Amino acid sequence: MAKQKSAKKNDDWTKTLTRVFVVFILISCVLGFTLTMGFFSIFKTAADGSGIVVSYTIRDDSGVPVLSSEETIIENEGVIAGVSQPMQMVIGQNYSDFIVPIEVYMYPAGVTSYALFEPELTAIADGAKGMHEGDTKTVPFPFGEAMVRDMTAEQYTLIGGNYSEAEIGMWIPLGFAPQPEIVLDNETAPETVATRMAKIVEMENDTLTVQYGYASADIAIEQIV
């Protein structure tokens, strides 16, 4: 009888070890698959036709963050315009409009439509070519320097400004229609106007010059599809 009990205990112990071994193998397979997929994802290369998710920080010519989706930048440096989600885009896609609005949280207005320009998005997409998931890069906007507009004191008043209080370096919100054109009269503004922050760079003879072009974008590839 004692031998039978001992044999039964050994059999139960063997079954238990077998179950544990099977569970261990299953867990190892799942972890191995997950790690393997994560390992091979680093070899994905962004190319024409690739869908990408891009975290970004757009900066002006002095390096100040204007717009960002990066939490550390927002917390440590702050932003002039607002905060957005990472962008989803397809490398090589054509944009039908010069102005491509995105949703941005701007204090204190809340979520609003913000004007990015087709050359900016194209530069980001072109700059992402050859990058891998996790890679970072600074993409210059050489065209940003030429994006300026002169405004009279009267035109500045039409968008809610006070010329006597304006000064060089001040950031002001502009409204852009899809054409694109800067909307100077709220009474005739179309419904599709998107906001964009611009910086006063010059003042002379009751006229001010605003620069609405930016200098660069720091990008990080979060995902390649």
Side-chain angles (χ1 to χ4, degrees):
M1 180 67 74
K3 288 184 178 180
Q4 289 179 350
K5 288 183 178 180
S6 177
K8 186 176 185 304
K9 286 182 179 179
N10 288 336
D11 185 56
D12 290 342
W13 180 243
T14 300
K15 289 180 180 179
T16 301
L17 284 176
T18 301
R19 292 192 187 99
V20 171
F21 181 72
V22 170
V23 171
F24 174 77
I25 292 298
L26 289 173
I27 292 174
S28 298
C29 288
V30 171
L31 287 175
F33 177 77
T34 302
L35 292 173
T36 299
M37 292 302 291
F39 174 76
F40 281 108
S41 70
I42 66 175
F43 293 106
K44 287 184 179 179
T45 302
D48 281 328
S50 296
I52 57 175
V53 179
V54 187
S55 289
Y56 67 97
T57 298
I58 294 178
R59 299 180 183 271
D60 73 351
D61 54 6
S62 63
V64 173
V66 180
L67 189 66
S68 183
S69 66
E70 292 280 357
E71 185 176 347
T72 54
I73 297 296
I74 297 163
E75 291 179 350
N76 297 331
E77 299 185 52
V79 287
I80 296 296
V83 178
S84 79
Q85 296 293 322
M87 288 191 292
Q88 299 181 26
M89 58 200 317
V90 176
I91 296 177
Q93 77 178 88
N94 295 318
Y95 296 94
S96 56
D97 296 320
F98 185 83
I99 292 177
V100 183
I102 63 170
E103 286 192 349
V104 171
Y105 178 82
M106 299 180 68
Y107 180 83
V111 177
T112 189
S113 181
Y114 197 87
L116 289 183
F117 296 146
E118 179 273 334
E120 294 169 333
L121 297 176
T122 298
I124 290 173
D126 287 344
K129 291 180 183 179
M131 296 178 69
H132 304 96
E133 291 183 7
D135 285 354
T136 61
K137 184 179 185 179
T138 296
V139 178
F141 294 159
F143 44 80
E145 187 177 354
M147 292 181 174
V148 295
R149 161 100 188 214
D150 292 333
M151 300 174 63
T152 65
E154 182 180 0
Q155 289 173 329
Y156 185 52
T157 301
L158 289 175
I159 63 170
N162 185 334
Y163 188 84
S164 63
E165 297 178 355
E167 57 185 34
I168 293 175
M170 179 184 293
W171 288 87
I172 62 173
L174 298 178
F176 283 83
Q179 283 66 25
E181 63 179 81
I182 299 176
V183 178
L184 297 176
D185 186 348
N186 291 331
E187 294 182 0
T188 60
E191 295 181 359
T192 54
V193 169
T195 300
R196 185 175 172 101
M197 296 301 291
K199 183 169 62 175
I200 299 175
V201 293
E202 188 175 337
M203 296 184 65
E204 186 177 2
N205 299 327
D206 289 335
T207 300
L208 55 81
T209 302
V210 296
Q211 182 168 10
Y212 56 90
Y214 306 139
S216 64
D218 299 333
I219 64 173
I221 306 299
E222 292 192 355
Q223 185 178 5
I224 301 173
V225 180

